[in-house]
Amino acid sequence: MKRSSSLPAMYFAAFLCAALSAIFSKSGASAFPAFFTGVFSSRFYIGSFLNTAFLLSVAGLGAAAALLNGEYNLGGEGQIYAGGFTAAVVMSGLSGAHPLVAGLAGGLAGAAVSASLALVSAALKYFKGASVLLTSFLISSAAVPIIDSLIAGAFRNSGNLLATRFIPESMRIPQILPPSPLSAAAFFAPLLCAAAWHFVFRTATGRRFCINGISKEFGRYCGYSQTKMLFGALAVSGALHGITGFLAVTGAYYPCHSGFHAGMGWNALTTALAASSNPANIVPAALALSWVFTGAEKAALLGGFSFNFTALVQGILLFSLAVRDFLFKYYSAS
């Protein structure tokens, strides 16, 4: 049975969020159109929308790498944070190096640290049979306060911000739509998704990953190495989350400030679910979700909400897509 489209679930979630923005907003019904049109109200919001979409594309591809092998990597938050923190520390420490060398070192270090966090979950499943879904979440939850303490302590900038030192200007990815945070790194996301699509659907290894993700029993029957696929999928998933943190720090923030990762990991998982883990659908799904998230931020700003409306939007979208997947599996089995 072919997997159903995610569009109905996303449409339902978007209109529900817009309706809630009108109900809880102090400005009343005027918040409803602002939810959809706020993205295009200024250069800043347009750039923020595109910047969020490209970061979600890279991180969503990381979440999809695990999903394609039948695993849920819920450690995106900590892995993105770890990648950005590591990249910021390495690059600020290489202030005298060539920008390309420092950037390569920061990107590889961030990807390696984040991949290591994901591989801990793979090792726990291999040796102890622990659920990747549970261990990845717990490891991420432990990593976040550790990084917070490092930023507030040994690696804190001399200023008042809870952030690391700024990376040198020569190492920053140039902005293309100031004053928004959109940088030239946005062009990297479609190329990466195209390469991932080619690997998944045009190589024998990629097809084996897909088959094994659908049915591990059949994969074992075919002689596929479950160990290699488990460790490989989670290593790639963690590395892509780390690269997301690296791109966020070098293209938008410049230091790694405390909590910059908030919501990225969960939104990346939502993107992967909306795209049905197909790399060709990652960028369109990220654009749609970024539009909703940016509209929610605009509506929250204008509406004067007394609660975190953006977090509510994230929960509604993730819940809607989870219900779609549950119904798909239920009717497929019946």
Side-chain angles (χ1 to χ4, degrees):
M1 181 178 177
K2 187 178 179 180
R3 183 178 291 274
S4 59
S5 171
S6 62
L7 289 177
M10 292 178 65
Y11 287 150
F12 168 76
F15 277 98
L16 178 58
C17 293
L20 290 174
S21 71
I23 292 171
F24 291 106
S25 172
K26 294 180 180 179
S27 56
S30 60
F32 187 88
F35 186 92
F36 295 104
T37 61
V39 173
F40 309 106
S41 60
S42 68
R43 285 167 59 94
F44 176 80
Y45 277 105
I46 293 173
S48 296
F49 153 65
L50 294 174
N51 182 67
T52 300
F54 110 76
L55 289 175
L56 284 182
S57 296
V58 181
L61 198 59
L67 288 172
L68 283 171
N69 194 49
E71 305 291 351
Y72 279 82
N73 179 8
L74 300 189
E77 297 275 300
Q79 291 159 20
I80 291 171
Y81 201 11
F85 171 75
T86 304
V89 170
V90 169
M91 294 176 71
S92 61
L94 295 174
S95 56
H98 190 279
L100 289 178
V101 174
L104 184 62
L108 290 175
V113 169
S114 299
S116 298
L117 292 178
L119 285 173
V120 174
S121 293
L124 288 172
K125 179 169 184 178
Y126 178 74
F127 291 107
K128 298 295 184 180
S131 167
V132 170
L133 183 148
L134 178 61
T135 58
S136 60
F137 174 74
L138 293 176
I139 292 168
S140 173
S141 298
V144 168
I146 292 173
I147 298 172
D148 282 339
S149 66
L150 291 173
I151 291 176
F155 295 96
R156 183 175 181 178
N157 191 5
S158 57
N160 294 325
L161 289 175
L162 280 176
T164 63
R165 285 190 296 163
F166 283 80
I167 63 174
E169 290 189 16
S170 61
M171 300 178 187
R172 301 174 187 177
I173 302 174
Q175 291 186 332
I176 57 177
L177 194 63
S180 76
L182 182 65
S183 71
F187 299 108
F188 177 68
L191 296 176
L192 187 61
C193 289
W197 179 88
H198 182 270
F199 170 78
V200 170
F201 296 108
R202 290 293 183 269
T203 67
T205 303
R207 287 193 292 270
R208 283 195 287 269
F209 266 106
C210 292
I211 293 170
N212 195 66
I214 295 171
S215 175
K216 286 185 168 54
E217 290 78 8
F218 185 74
R220 281 191 287 268
Y221 175 79
C222 293
Y224 300 160
S225 173
Q226 299 298 305
T227 303
K228 288 182 179 178
M229 291 193 173
L230 171 65
F231 280 82
L234 287 177
V236 171
S237 179
L240 286 170
H241 282 135
I243 290 172
T244 303
F246 160 75
L247 293 174
V249 167
T250 55
Y253 303 123
Y254 308 134
C256 175
H257 63 80
S258 180
F260 86 86
H261 66 285
M264 275 195 197
W266 295 108
N267 292 343
L269 180 60
T270 305
T271 301
L273 291 173
S276 298
S277 303
N278 186 339
N281 298 334
I282 290 286
V283 171
L287 286 168
L289 291 170
S290 178
W291 175 46
V292 174
F293 294 143
T294 307
E297 292 176 359
K298 178 75 172 180
L301 182 64
L302 296 176
F305 293 100
S306 60
F307 57 92
N308 190 341
F309 182 63
T310 306
L312 177 62
V313 171
Q314 293 170 349
I316 291 173
L317 283 165
L318 188 57
F319 178 76
S320 300
L321 292 167
V323 168
R324 179 210 61 162
D325 275 11
F326 171 78
L327 293 176
F328 168 77
K329 291 179 181 178
Y330 177 79
Y331 285 112
S332 296
S334 61

